Amino acid sequence: MSMDFDAVYYEPAALDYDLGQMLQRKYANLPWRQIENHNRITEMTSADNRDFPKLKKHLIIGIRKTHRYVPNHKVSDWLVPYTSSGCRAMCLYCYLVCNYNKCAYLRLFVNREQMLDRLLKKDAAALVPQTFEIGSNSDLLLENTITDNLLYTIERFAHEGHGSLTFPTKFDMVTPLLNLDHRGKTIFRMSVNPQEIINRIELGTSRLPARIRALNDMAEAGYPVGMLIAPVILLPNWKSLYGELIEYLAEELSDKVMQNGFIEIILMTYSFVQNAINTDAFPNAIQLFDRETMTGRGRGKYSYRNDIRAEAESFLREKIMQQLGTMPILYIS
């Protein structure tokens, strides 16, 4: 996808860091607009919903000040705030929109040394090896094309860490990672969906064949790997879509992925906020909210009814067992 930005909004203190200075040189041709705080940019928070795609063309540079680790009990032990939040892509279901509303644009945080120092300190203090999810707030593979932060992070953790790092992605730009000295301490997870859903809903992300090639390449490079079928979106023809996806995966995944990889499955959760933004910003897009199959789940959120979820889970388990039986399903949520 194009990574052309139209302006940079920055906290002045960000330029005291090496990464901030590198970004200043990299985007010297763009207008730079000073802000007090990356969390409060009035012209963006007050923008109309229809301006959402325009906001995604802004790049925000700041310092991450919140470092609260959240316990997690799926692939990782901890969700870790890391070097970016938001994303340049525009997936119509993106849960970051729930958290940030229209402000789900890409924010880069330049104090990476401080963040990794803190992570390594927690890692060293653990009685048993821990796994740290560093990609829950952004797509770090996409971010890496701007900052090279993954190169810095993976190699330093390989030499100083005891546990593991992990991050998911919907992108395929893995070439810079293939020859790193990762020592098997970074778990790479690729998110997949049927190509029709990628085309119509996961706007601005890599195509399915490119994602599979990237996953195969990372496994060949010795990284532990996993695959997310996520989010599962129950369109009227969902059984044919996901049945064909699983058949395609069985044909295209390498032996290393099939023998050593794992699967996560996450059904889509949608929200009032996402629906409001999508209605105004993408009026011709596919409608994700379905009153017939969805029900309220928490404040302003919707998920598929329990009976619908049970049918989808049964279908996916059966198809995966038939086609991808060597890959364990860690969970379905």
Side-chain angles (χ1 to χ4, degrees), residues 264-307:
E264 306 163 70
I265 300 176
I266 305 172
L267 275 74
M268 184 184 71
T269 297
Y270 200 51
S271 77
F272 175 82
V273 170
Q274 290 164 319
N275 193 60
I277 291 175
N278 289 342
T279 299
D280 291 346
F282 307 103
N284 298 318
I286 190 169
Q287 174 59 254
L288 295 183
F289 177 62
D290 184 350
R291 294 181 183 278
E292 297 300 316
T293 62
M294 304 184 86
T295 186
R297 178 187 178 187
R299 187 174 180 181
K301 294 183 179 181
Y302 309 95
S303 66
Y304 295 111
R305 296 196 328 256
N306 288 340
D307 59 321

Side-chain angles (χ1 to χ4, degrees), residues 20-306:
Q21 294 167 18
M22 183 276 281
L23 293 169
Q24 188 179 37
R25 293 190 297 271
K26 186 170 187 173
Y27 295 107
N29 61 318
L30 295 180
W32 281 64
R33 298 167 182 167
Q34 185 171 317
I35 56 175
E36 290 185 9
N37 190 310
H38 65 82
N39 280 321
R40 292 189 295 274
I41 308 175
T42 304
E43 68 179 86
M44 299 186 199
T45 57
S46 62
D48 292 332
N49 285 340
R50 66 174 179 271
D51 293 329
F52 182 73
K54 295 179 182 178
L55 300 183
K56 285 278 190 169
K57 291 182 69 67
H58 303 337
L59 177 62
I60 287 75
I61 299 173
I63 299 169
R64 185 180 280 286
K65 306 167 187 71
T66 302
H67 301 275
R68 179 172 163 265
Y69 290 23
V70 177
N72 192 39
H73 304 289
K74 291 181 178 177
V75 175
S76 65
D77 297 291
W78 302 96
L79 303 179
V80 178
Y82 205 53
T83 50
S84 56
S85 69
C87 183
R88 183 61 192 272
M90 290 182 282
C91 300
L92 300 183
Y93 54 73
C94 179
Y95 74 91
L96 295 173
V97 173
C98 290
N99 297 338
Y100 304 129
N101 202 306
K102 294 182 293 290
C103 303
Y105 38 66
L106 182 59
R107 284 181 274 185
L108 303 179
F109 304 115
V110 296
N111 52 326
R112 66 184 182 187
E113 293 84 3
Q114 177 188 7
M115 287 182 275
L116 190 50
D117 285 347
R118 182 182 179 88
L119 190 154
L120 286 165
K121 183 177 180 180
K122 188 170 185 66
D123 172 68
L127 297 178
V128 296
Q130 302 285 286
T131 299
F132 300 90
E133 166 65 87
I134 59 174
S136 61
N137 290 324
S138 185
D139 194 304
L140 296 186
L141 198 62
L142 180 66
E143 184 222 303
N144 189 66
T145 64
I146 302 172
T147 64
D148 285 339
N149 274 340
L150 279 178
L151 280 63
Y152 165 80
T153 300
I154 290 172
E155 289 206 317
R156 186 176 167 201
F157 191 86
H159 289 84
E160 301 179 39
H162 303 288
S164 299
L165 304 176
T166 187
F167 63 91
T169 186
K170 293 184 177 68
F171 291 92
D172 68 310
M173 300 83 81
V174 298
T175 300
L177 310 185
L178 297 180
N179 294 319
L180 296 182
D181 181 17
H182 58 82
R183 303 188 181 185
K185 295 182 181 179
T186 296
I187 305 165
F188 178 82
R189 292 148 53 225
M190 179 60 74
S191 178
V192 299
N193 244 322
Q195 187 61 61
E196 180 180 332
I197 287 178
I198 293 174
N199 291 343
R200 300 177 65 190
I201 298 173
E202 296 183 349
L203 309 180
T205 64
S206 294
R207 305 300 88 184
L208 180 61
R211 297 188 199 186
I212 299 308
R213 286 194 297 270
L215 179 59
N216 289 341
D217 287 347
M218 290 293 278
E220 185 63 32
Y223 286 87
V225 298
M227 184 172 61
L228 299 90
I229 302 178
V232 175
I233 303 176
L234 302 181
L235 301 178
N237 61 334
W238 68 269
K239 286 187 177 179
S240 62
L241 288 176
Y242 285 95
E244 291 168 6
L245 170 66
I246 293 167
E247 290 178 6
Y248 179 80
L249 295 173
E251 294 172 358
E252 299 297 328
L253 291 175
S254 70
D255 289 343
K256 284 191 176 180
V257 175
M258 293 279 282
Q259 294 301 321
N260 302 311
F262 58 84
I263 296 174
E264 306 163 70
I265 300 176
I266 305 172
L267 275 74
M268 184 184 71
T269 297
Y270 200 51
S271 77
F272 175 82
V273 170
Q274 290 164 319
N275 193 60
I277 291 175
N278 289 342
T279 299
D280 291 346
F282 307 103
N284 298 318
I286 190 169
Q287 174 59 254
L288 295 183
F289 177 62
D290 184 350
R291 294 181 183 278
E292 297 300 316
T293 62
M294 304 184 86
T295 186
R297 178 187 178 187
R299 187 174 180 181
K301 294 183 179 181
Y302 309 95
S303 66
Y304 295 111
R305 296 196 328 256
N306 288 340

